[in-house]
């Protein structure tokens, strides 16, 4: 994730709930005089009949598996969703929506810059996949490249990247 999200600092998979649902931890860098933020999120992915992928998540309460870190503010992800529907072998329709409470008093300039940066991650990921298709992997079973260079739904499980 560091390669496509300049705000991301570190993270890890905390727990696998099902093949398509997990709990993960992410820590984001601070900026200027703003403390770093982290989140613990439960997320899942659905594969729709038309081949579209719908991913969504929300924060889960802190617990002993992921304790509060000194100097880091635990933000709340109210919701995050990503909808990706293939259009052609090399293009797709994408809708990204998210709402988070970063906690604490933050200047509007910082919040706005963060929102813009996170939205631009989609374009960065797209560019990376076009330049380096071998990067296309997922923590859920849904993408496999066939001989015609088209992406199709499948049931293979791959490790998270």
């Amino acid at each position: 994730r560091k390669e496509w999200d300049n705000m991301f600092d570190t993270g890890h998979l905390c727990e696998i709930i099902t093949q398509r649902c997990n709990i993960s931890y992410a820590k984001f860098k601070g900026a200027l005089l703003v403390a770093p933020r982290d989140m613990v999120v439960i997320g899942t992915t659905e594969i729709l009949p038309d081949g579209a992928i719908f991913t969504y998540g929300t924060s889960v309460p802190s617990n002993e598996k992921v304790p509060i870190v000194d100097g880091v503010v635990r933000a709340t992800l109210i919701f995050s969703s990503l909808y990706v529907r293939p259009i052609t072998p090399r293009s797709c329709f994408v809708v990204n929506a998210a709402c988070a409470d970063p906690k604490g008093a933050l200047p509007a300039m910082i919040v706005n810059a963060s929102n813009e940066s996170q939205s631009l991650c989609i374009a960065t990921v797209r560019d990376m996949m076009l330049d380096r298709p071998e990067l296309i992997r997922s923590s859920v079973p849904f993408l496999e490249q066939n001989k015609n260079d088209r992406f199709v739904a499948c049931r293979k499980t791959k490790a998270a990247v």
Side-chain angles (χ1 to χ4, degrees):
R1 182 169 177 168
K2 284 185 179 187
E3 194 171 350
W4 52 266
D5 183 352
N6 64 359
M7 295 179 61
F8 182 77
D9 184 19
T10 188
H12 61 271
L13 183 63
C14 301
E15 183 178 350
I16 296 172
I17 308 296
T18 69
Q19 187 177 6
R20 292 187 178 171
C21 180
N22 63 57
I23 297 175
S24 60
Y25 171 82
K27 180 181 169 206
F28 300 89
K29 300 172 188 172
L32 301 173
L33 300 174
V34 177
R37 299 305 201 253
D38 68 1
M39 294 181 181
V40 181
V41 174
I42 186 167
T44 191
T45 299
E46 301 292 333
I47 311 307
L48 306 179
D50 65 354
I53 300 160
F54 181 55
T55 255
Y56 51 97
T58 190
S59 284
V60 294
S62 299
N63 59 49
E64 67 280 351
K65 290 183 181 178
V66 190
I68 301 291
V69 178
D70 286 339
V72 178
V73 177
R74 179 68 43 97
T76 299
L77 181 63
I78 298 165
F79 78 91
S80 174
S81 62
L82 179 67
Y83 173 81
V84 181
R85 187 185 70 221
I87 296 172
T88 71
R90 294 184 55 84
S91 69
C92 58
F93 173 77
V94 177
V95 177
N96 181 36
C99 182
D101 179 355
K103 303 293 184 183
L106 296 173
M109 178 187 77
I110 298 290
V111 173
N112 292 339
S114 171
N115 290 340
E116 182 177 339
S117 173
Q118 291 303 292
S119 295
L120 292 174
C121 287
I122 292 173
T124 303
V125 170
R126 178 207 56 214
D127 294 345
M128 286 174 53
M129 290 183 352
L130 289 173
D131 291 343
R132 298 172 18 218
E134 72 278 5
L135 294 176
I136 299 173
R137 293 193 290 177
S138 173
S139 60
V140 295
F142 66 91
L143 292 179
E144 175 182 89
Q145 192 171 14
N146 71 17
K147 294 177 185 174
N148 298 322
D149 197 30
R150 299 177 69 80
F151 295 100
V152 296
C154 70
R155 300 255 179 233
K156 293 184 179 177
T157 303
K158 298 187 178 184
V161 174

